[in-house]
Amino acid sequence: MARPAVLVARAVFPETVQRLARHFEVEANPADRIYDRAELIEHLRGKAGALTTASERIDAELLDAHPQLRVVANMAVGYNNIDLAACSARGVLVTNTPDVLTETTADFGFALMLAAARRLSESERFLRSGAWNRWAYDLFSGTDVHDATLGILGMGRIGQAIARRGALGFGMKVIYHNRSRLDPALEAPLGARWVDKAALLRESDHLVLVLPYAPASHHAIGAAELATMKPTATLTNVARGGIVDDAALAAALRARRIAAAALDVFEGEPQVHPALLGLANVVLTPHIASASVATRRAMAELAADNLIAALGGGRPPTPLNPEVLARSARASGA
Ligand code: 8YV
């Protein structure tokens, strides 16, 4: 029987591609060209599976062009690049890569928060420019992180991992807002307290965004929300571009409406709002929160595990729409 064909849409570890090639006819993309829509549709021709990243948009139009496509394995925990309902409606299984990136992403979120609060990038740029010629009592004085109030918007796995770092490592008071409250058994060791969004904005010294992007979270932080934050507060976004209104944030930072921000994700990335680029009090990184070598390997391997299991008729480790599996099991009489 012919082996299924799969597309690895972006460059990944060669070992992962080699592993997939033991199971499938693989079309890889070692040059790491980012396919535009027409190219992606073209490259998916004849493919039963695809290993995608956040840069590939999988929607109804693309699915309708490829009725043979059965599995989309996204190498990311976030999946706002995929129309999950459209996939489910067409029996296409979708998987993501949760858990393996939780601690690495939390490390980076915490690092960004520290960098914003203690003005790390700004002061380093100053030193490198040759402008440092003396100590001064107020040179780059920032805001303390220890003992401060850490606010978390979106208290999923990564939010909880950031809260652990804050509560247990830095003695921070943790407040959070989430659609649903955590189990008290999870709240207790962190001393974490659920608050409504208005209180979260008002009370946080350092607010970290870790919620998934969805139409409902579009511009969850805009001018109105920023206006209610403390003028000494910092804002960190390791979630998705579009959750913050970047233009409104730039205006708030310029007006010192809040003290500083740190952003790893942007609306329309890799484009960055030009107003942000010109500001000293914002730390900007190119969507690298999950980028430790070990974690990126684990993400690639988990995406491959998912493809291999799903196209082999097994149960993939991390399905997003397992109802599709149940349906195909029924259809095959399994
Ligand atoms: C990925 C991420 O690197 O997992 C996510 O949701 O944002 C990052 O870890 C990126 O999305 C590439 O797919």
Side-chain angles (χ1 to χ4, degrees):
M1 208 172 79
R3 301 190 317 160
V6 302
L7 176 69
V8 179
R10 296 288 309 278
V12 294
F13 297 95
E15 298 79 6
T16 306
V17 176
Q18 283 155 19
R19 185 174 158 224
L20 289 170
R22 293 200 285 274
H23 300 263
F24 309 119
E25 294 305 320
V26 176
E27 180 186 327
N29 180 6
D32 206 22
R33 185 182 161 82
I34 298 192
Y35 299 139
D36 67 22
R37 184 144 190 84
E39 288 169 330
L40 183 60
I41 290 182
E42 180 55 32
H43 284 275
L44 280 170
R45 193 185 291 274
K47 305 297 189 300
L51 193 153
T52 56
T53 70
S55 42
E56 286 72 50
R57 190 159 55 83
I58 307 292
D59 59 14
E61 185 203 15
L62 179 142
L63 294 169
D64 288 341
H66 287 296
Q68 84 292 343
L69 187 66
R70 286 159 43 208
V71 182
V72 176
N74 209 36
M75 185 181 145
V77 65
Y79 51 89
N80 57 302
N81 57 310
I82 297 173
D83 183 339
L84 191 61
C87 286
S88 300
R90 290 161 182 78
V92 176
L93 183 77
V94 182
T95 65
N96 68 341
T97 59
D99 301 320
V100 291
L101 47 62
T102 300
E103 300 299 330
T104 299
T105 304
D107 284 349
F108 197 77
F110 213 84
L112 281 182
M113 178 184 72
L114 284 164
R118 297 301 310 274
R119 306 176 66 181
L120 199 73
S121 309
E122 191 186 349
S123 58
E124 189 188 356
R125 281 194 300 272
F126 167 82
L127 180 150
R128 285 179 188 272
S129 77
W132 187 33
N133 58 10
R134 61 179 134 176
W135 177 91
Y137 79 97
D138 59 351
L139 186 64
F140 290 105
S141 32
T143 321
D144 277 325
V145 169
H146 69 273
D147 296 344
T149 297
L150 170 61
I152 308 239
L153 185 57
M155 195 64 153
R157 289 167 285 224
I158 299 170
Q160 290 172 49
I162 292 174
R164 269 199 306 280
R165 283 157 177 73
L168 308 180
F170 286 72
M172 298 179 87
K173 190 171 106 190
V174 176
I175 55 177
Y176 72 96
H177 181 71
N178 206 43
R179 265 174 316 188
S180 48
R181 262 192 75 159
L182 288 186
D183 187 316
L186 290 172
E187 280 184 349
L190 305 175
R193 185 166 55 89
W194 185 95
V195 293
D196 63 25
K197 187 177 166 192
L200 185 80
L201 292 164
R202 211 172 45 237
E203 293 175 27
S204 295
D205 293 314
H206 303 292
L207 177 61
V208 183
L209 310 179
V210 213
L211 67 170
Y213 181 83
S217 57
H218 183 74
H219 287 186
I221 303 293
E225 289 75 18
L226 291 160
T228 67
M229 290 176 67
K230 295 181 185 179
T232 49
T234 72
L235 174 73
T236 297
N237 187 7
V238 283
R240 274 290 179 273
I243 290 176
V244 175
D245 176 344
D246 286 347
L249 175 62
L253 288 167
R254 174 169 292 114
R256 304 275 162 176
R257 191 57 215 82
I258 64 169
L263 309 172
D264 187 49
V265 287
F266 305 88
E267 289 188 281
E269 64 185 55
Q271 306 301 321
V272 176
H273 197 292
L276 289 170
L277 291 169
L279 291 171
N281 54 344
V282 60
V283 180
L284 305 168
T285 54
H287 202 149
I288 56 168
S290 68
S292 73
V293 178
T295 289
R296 285 285 165 86
R297 274 194 192 283
M299 292 166 69
E301 287 300 301
L302 180 52
D305 293 344
N306 277 313
L307 261 186
I308 292 166
L311 286 175
R315 189 180 171 84
T318 50
L320 283 165
N321 52 356
E323 66 277 13
V324 167
L325 286 170
R327 279 209 303 270
S328 49
R330 268 202 301 277
S332 68

